[in-house]
Amino acid sequence: LHDWDTALIHSRQGADYVARLTKLRGLSDDQKLDAARILLNIGQGQMNMHRYDAAAAQMRQAIDLAKASGASTGMIAQGLSGLANALRQAGDLDGALTSITEARALGEKAQFANEVLRASALYAILWRQGVILGEDESVSLNRPQDAVEPLQKAFDMVDAIAAKDPNDASFRDRMGTA
């Protein structure tokens, strides 16, 4: 609804709730994982409000909790990818490249429930890596030659998935973006 004032109030309340929760002793791994998911969602909300530093802070906390909970490498990779996006938008291109490089390394060896989920997660990581390295006329490291490899890999991956289902508009849209 683009009611950013209310969204900001709710994100702060949610983050405060999670902060209090995580200070409790004896949290189970599942509770830590749930808290990490909530913080990733709050971080994405901060991104939507263009509050990139706040988004990065929430996502860092989420990644730390996810790692402490024994979360899957796929989830951690996706968290790092979101962090890289927030850092890029905040102007920390070196930090963004470090995060997305780690995300890619984890994502490429992660186990996913199926090939579509794998392609969705890896596409986002590869696309972000390409954008960070060299998106034209945008915030990037201005290394377009280095951006070609991850963008080509992202394109090839979504092209292969789209070819399997002629009605799949989602992966065709990603092909266009890549």
Side-chain angles (χ1 to χ4, degrees), residues 8-9 72 77 123 140 177:
L8 188 56
I9 290 167
S72 71
Y123 164 80
S140 78
T177 303

Side-chain angles (χ1 to χ4, degrees), residues 102-125:
E102 185 180 352
R104 182 173 176 179
L106 289 173
E108 286 180 336
K109 39 183 189 181
Q111 299 294 318
F112 292 92
N114 59 56
E115 188 58 28
V116 171
L117 290 176
R118 180 182 187 280
S120 293
L122 284 178
Y123 164 80
I125 292 168

Side-chain angles (χ1 to χ4, degrees), residues 1 6 25 32 43 52 61 66 72 94 99 158 160 163-164 173:
L1 297 173
T6 302
R25 292 179 186 219
K32 291 175 192 172
Y52 305 121
Q61 289 177 344
S72 71
D94 291 330
S99 293
V158 293
K164 293 177 183 178
D173 180 59

Side-chain angles (χ1 to χ4, degrees), residues 2 10 29 32 70 106 121 143 146 150 162 168:
H2 300 285
H10 288 293
D29 287 343
K32 291 175 192 172
L106 289 173
R143 294 168 36 192
D146 294 336
D168 187 331

Side-chain angles (χ1 to χ4, degrees), residues 66-90:
K67 288 177 179 178
S69 75
S72 71
T73 54
M75 180 183 176
I76 295 168
Q78 290 174 306
L80 286 163
S81 179
L83 174 60
N85 193 36
L87 293 172
R88 174 182 167 261
Q89 294 294 342

